[in-house]
Amino acid sequence: MVGVSVVQVAQAVRHTPLPALTPHTGTGHEDYVKHMDAAPAAPLQAVGGFVGGGQLAWRAAGPTVELLDPVRGTRKAAWTFGAVLHNGGAQVTSVCGVGRGAVSHVVVGVDLGADRRPRGMVALLSLRSSRVTRAFHFQHRVTKVCMASGGEQTVDSGTLAPELRHWQGLLVVGTAHGTCTSSTWHSTWAVSDWLGHKVLSDEVSPGTLAAVTTPDPAAEHTRVTALRQRCHPTMCLSDGMSSGGRFQLLGPDDNVLFEVASQRVAVTALAFFPQLAALVVGYNFGAFQIINLSTITIDCASPYEESMPPVLSFACQEPENDPKNYMYLWLCRSWPPQGGSEGGSQGGGPGSHALCTLYAMIYDSKVWIEGHGLWFQGLASISPRFEFDILGGLGLRGPPEGPSRVFSATTVQLSTPPAAAAAAAGGPSLAALTPHDEDSGSVLEQSLCVFGWVGGVREGEVLSLHHYLAVFDINQWYQAQMPSSLKLEESQLCPYMSFHLLDRVPGVGCGGAGGEAVLGAAPKPASWAQHTSHTCNDSDWFPAALSYDAHVVTSGSLVEYRCPSTQQAALALLSACGPAAVVDPQQAHAACVFAGLIPSDPAHHSLNSSASAMMLEREAVLNVALDQQLISLLVQCVREFSEGRFSTLGCSLPALLDWAWHRVTEIKASNDTLSLPLFDPECGVVSTDTIALLHQNLTHLITLTTIITTIRDNAHANLITAQGCSELEGRVRVVGLVVVHSEAVLWFHHCGLLCPAPLDDPGDDAAVPFPAHLLARIYKNRNVSETIEHFLLQCPHFHSHRAVLRSQLLTLNVTTGDLPTLLAGAGVLPSRQHAVIRLTCAFLRKTGQLQRLRSEISHLSASLTGNEVLMIDGLLEEAAEACGGSLGGAWEEEGGGAYPPPSLHALLTMFLLPYVPTTTKHRIVQYLFLDLASLLSDGYVRVVEELVKYPSSFSLSPSLIKLTQAFWLLDHKDFQEGLNVLLDPLVNPCDLTPWQHKRIMKAFLYQGEHGRALTYAKLRRPPKVDVDDIRLHLTLLLANRLVREAFHYQRSHRTHTNTHDLLQHFFTGCEQQGGLESVIHLPLSPLEEAALVDYLRTSTSTAAHDYLLVYYLQRAR
């Protein structure tokens, strides 16, 4: 396999150069700095690292230490030790953080110099004031400091020995001569509480140490006495190991494992692990001890081994769901830079390779402590289970050579495992992992460990240094049957480790000469993400599928690196190669197979199983680009292939279209199968995996829509035939319909709309009832009742008939004329009810009356029939006209009516209708959801909130959302609110079509809202497209008894073709509104006068003949 490597390149994304370390003493010490001794001519050895889980970076050279913000590269605090005492020979050796959460202070270990007595000092440096607030001395030079409690981790005091439970801020100090001492920082604060003033100490006036022995029944009394005397209680944890100038490495039974001169021994590593309640101590001769702070005894000690490098660091890991009481301890042995300054080792040399060893520790029991976590008790055995040599040359040509050095070993603490944080619902393949939340109470997941090292490799005659970061996953190491050593195979992912080569480490030259030394590395907690492919390969669980960002501090800079997963690296290769990765897919295919992005079956998704190997590889690469949403790559392929340069190689637009259409048909078939349970519960239960696959298919369909649309656009530029153009347009339209339908189905499912439930049972929040029969009854009754009400009470064209009926009712002493009174005699004396109903029937059944009324309605421009009142009918008619059929007819075939649909499943079929604008479909659904929201009980508050969000979820414009709300309000007779919404500034006038203007005004007129109809017409100014629009406006004016305005309006809009029509409409309306008296007083032209006389002569009304006589008399004719 070509072009693959187990080592990925970590790209430097930000580099912040740091100034050289200069003496810094904080505020108020400038006078001392002026008189400092001259710095030594030889360059100072730099040390550094990170504290607070990567919150702060630190670096030191000689006596100066500075704390840095790794994100911004700014200095948080700095101090130069020995400046105030004119001591230029001091050296900072170690730093640890104080304060859980945000680090507020750091503890600094200092070697004051070979000529100073005492030689060691520990100081507490405040980040806020950048000053030393606590300091005390030790006899020997301080080499390591570590906080056991009060530091960066939560420790339950019950896990510590009785002698230590009351120590607040327990600090462990490792020194030369192999001694370990515990002390407390917060004791001075206790003194402040008791004595009423604060006790401070600094380099000039260091604090006093008071020894507390163990075992001692009076240890607590001794500690309290020391506090009252303003002293720091201390306890030697290595009592009896260093005396008489000799150092003895003791085991659990006080047996001597190794003995050497004290001046040749130094503590080189310290770590406290709360889950073990144990302190792990590493020495410069390669051995280590575990000191149990629950009993202040030695749990174990490693034997001395010849030529072992010094112990540099420790890390602890805990496997997930291990039924046994196992914990694992990493031991990193490495020579410090430039041959090791921590004292010589026995029988070894700095030229050997570094080594990382994993020890398995078995405990008798483990208990859970709230706020602390697991506590393992009773170490039964410890043994090495895995190790790997730290070498250079990984992923490079050339043998490793020269020394190697570990600069970082860090346990990654996450509150959820990487796999649990992957994207659910088939979205993008990367999902952020969850960093530890202090307040969440969740168990820390410690299955990952990050190592950093530098090693040499010889390439020809050149020896160069390379820096690496590696992630070890102990859970995957379990799955790999716990091998004892690291064995990397060519072109095969390591199942439990991933590797990254740091790119462009600043200032690193050949052999490391004159370059910057890498001091430490720390991953960013919130940057962890896991790649999850849709094929669920085993490689998705490997640490190689993890990506993260890491901060690296060197002696002269801060660098942020982006460490991609193997899958991301393969996808980056595809993007970088562009269409060439499809034309010649060998390298890209190999990288994708190596990363697990391509299924093991090479014929998967293949159009032709007998195709050549290159064709299969090409299709596989295209499928990867589709699965991983590399849209830009696919669009580039379309544009490149449209030029025809690669047609001879099989790369052309028709070939790309065939692939895309094949995937569309595959996905459509998959959707049909997966969505069966959504439409038929008898087909099975809908699982989360099914929904995830539907979401994944939807994402692919959206991408394929873009690809096919791009193919169509580029094909048009190449002058294809009309038939080919029509075929491409049809395919674009089909894919678009499938996409919209899939989006709607998933949205309905997530709201619980596809799981019907009884309307009166809101118990299951996941199932929402659909009251189709209730909606149908309401809709039908609304049409019928509004038609009758309009004829009897509101229609302006039957004013004279209603006047006769009203006068007859008055003779019966009936003054109300509403529907209940006219149709049922409600509120009328029983003796007169029959007479009222008889008069109403006579009004409706007068010979030819009802038929004549209907014919007059048809004659008027505002043909006010019942089916033109409801706005939803207009939306349905618009959809039916667009698709060339009847939308309501399709619903009627399923047992429903024109509106509402018989079921939500029937509603979803609307999204598959071609040619109907998508916005119209969404507006019909929005209208139905407004109906549904008004009927659901209080038990469906969450569902109602989701229903209201539907239009915005599908990107309907605020204008269309407002219009649909206004339509619903009009249909539900909330006329004033509906008018307010129609006139809302958010409503775009361009969204109001001519038919909508007509129907809105007719709806107002039909239901007696003449004034609101006129208000709408004046403010919205609907266009006058044809003579029906002019007649409708005339009707509005006449219905509001604005005869003079109507007269001038018809006069200004007359033409030679519509003059007779408009005048007849004007006179008819005036007659029906009782306004003929006003007409005869208007200044009529000869044409208008002739038309009026003709109208009055032919009218059957006696009142018309009377008005004709009056008109003649006025004009003396």
Side-chain angles (χ1 to χ4, degrees), residues 574 576-586 588 621 633 636-637 640-641 646:
L574 283 182
C577 293
V582 179
V583 177
D584 185 8
Q586 184 179 11
V621 170
L633 171 62
Q636 289 176 20
C637 289
E640 292 286 340
F641 294 176
F646 307 107

Side-chain angles (χ1 to χ4, degrees), residues 20-96:
L21 287 175
T22 56
H24 181 91
T25 56
T27 305
H29 290 78
E30 290 82 356
D31 294 338
Y32 293 102
V33 178
K34 294 178 181 179
H35 303 288
M36 275 193 62
D37 296 335
L44 299 175
Q45 179 64 48
V47 292
F50 290 85
V51 296
Q55 290 183 41
L56 295 173
W58 69 275
R59 63 172 184 150
T64 303
V65 62
E66 69 173 353
L67 282 301
L68 304 164
D69 183 342
V71 177
R72 299 179 179 87
T74 56
R75 174 184 284 182
K76 303 289 287 186
W79 190 263
T80 299
F81 291 93
V84 296
L85 299 176
H86 311 293
N87 176 19
Q91 289 189 358
V92 175
T93 59
S94 180
V95 173
C96 69

Side-chain angles (χ1 to χ4, degrees), residues 366-515:
K366 59 183 176 182
V367 295
W368 170 260
I369 300 177
E370 189 67 30
H372 174 90
L374 289 174
W375 178 25
F376 290 79
Q377 303 178 60
L379 179 61
S381 66
I382 180 171
S383 59
R385 293 300 303 270
F386 176 81
E387 69 178 14
F388 67 95
D389 290 325
I390 300 298
L391 301 174
L394 283 178
L396 302 170
R397 296 178 181 178
E401 187 173 325
S404 58
R405 176 178 61 87
V406 175
F407 56 78
S408 177
T410 306
T411 302
V412 179
Q413 295 185 342
L414 301 171
S415 60
T416 55
S429 57
L430 286 178
L433 303 184
T434 308
H436 171 53
D437 183 0
E438 299 169 11
D439 301 325
S440 65
S442 57
V443 182
L444 287 180
E445 200 271 348
Q446 301 182 10
S447 63
L448 301 179
C449 191
V450 177
F451 299 94
W453 73 86
V454 56
V457 60
R458 183 167 294 279
E459 298 174 317
E461 299 298 326
V462 179
L463 176 64
S464 57
L465 293 180
H466 296 278
H467 298 75
Y468 297 89
L469 291 178
V471 177
F472 180 88
D473 188 338
I474 198 167
N475 293 330
Q476 291 304 309
W477 179 68
Y478 264 53
Q479 295 292 328
Q481 306 301 318
M482 296 184 287
S484 59
S485 61
L486 177 64
K487 296 179 180 178
L488 300 178
E489 299 183 11
E490 182 70 20
S491 301
Q492 185 172 344
L493 286 175
C494 180
Y496 52 87
M497 286 193 79
S498 66
F499 305 91
H500 286 91
L501 174 66
L502 300 187
D503 179 40
R504 301 194 306 274
V505 176
V508 174
C510 295

Side-chain angles (χ1 to χ4, degrees), residues 156 172 319 499 545 566 584 661 726 794 989 1007 1066:
D156 188 271
V172 181
F499 305 91
T566 303
D584 185 8
W661 191 249
S726 176
Q794 297 168 354
Q1007 299 172 88
F1066 173 71

Side-chain angles (χ1 to χ4, degrees), residues 799-813:
H799 174 76
S800 59
H801 302 286
R802 275 201 309 275
V804 173
L805 177 63
R806 189 177 298 112
S807 63
Q808 293 173 338
L809 292 174
L810 287 175
T811 60
L812 297 175
N813 201 23

Side-chain angles (χ1 to χ4, degrees), residues 576-703:
C577 293
V582 179
V583 177
D584 185 8
Q586 184 179 11
Q587 181 182 10
H589 183 270
C592 292
V593 171
F594 175 72
L597 296 173
I598 292 180
S600 56
D601 180 11
H604 186 66
H605 291 320
S606 176
L607 293 170
N608 184 2
S609 58
S610 61
S612 64
M614 178 171 287
M615 290 296 297
L616 294 177
E617 290 180 354
R618 186 173 292 151
E619 291 174 17
V621 170
L622 288 172
N623 290 332
V624 169
L626 176 63
D627 292 340
Q628 304 302 324
Q629 296 300 289
L630 301 182
I631 302 177
S632 60
L633 171 62
L634 294 172
V635 170
Q636 289 176 20
C637 289
V638 173
R639 292 172 179 169
E640 292 286 340
F641 294 176
S642 65
E643 299 176 1
R645 292 184 296 167
F646 307 107
S647 299
T648 56
L649 300 176
C651 297
S652 60
L653 282 187
L656 199 57
L657 179 62
D658 289 343
W659 165 81
W661 191 249
H662 176 71
R663 290 307 312 270
V664 169
T665 56
E666 277 190 336
I667 293 171
K668 180 62 172 65
S670 174
N671 278 357
D672 292 342
T673 303
L674 293 172
S675 58
L676 274 178
L678 295 175
F679 294 90
D680 187 0
E682 296 182 358
C683 294
V685 180
V686 181
S687 64
T688 55
D689 292 339
T690 298
I691 299 302
L693 287 174
L694 286 173
H695 275 286
Q696 171 191 324
N697 287 346
L698 174 60
T699 303
H700 291 173
L701 284 172
I702 293 173
T703 303

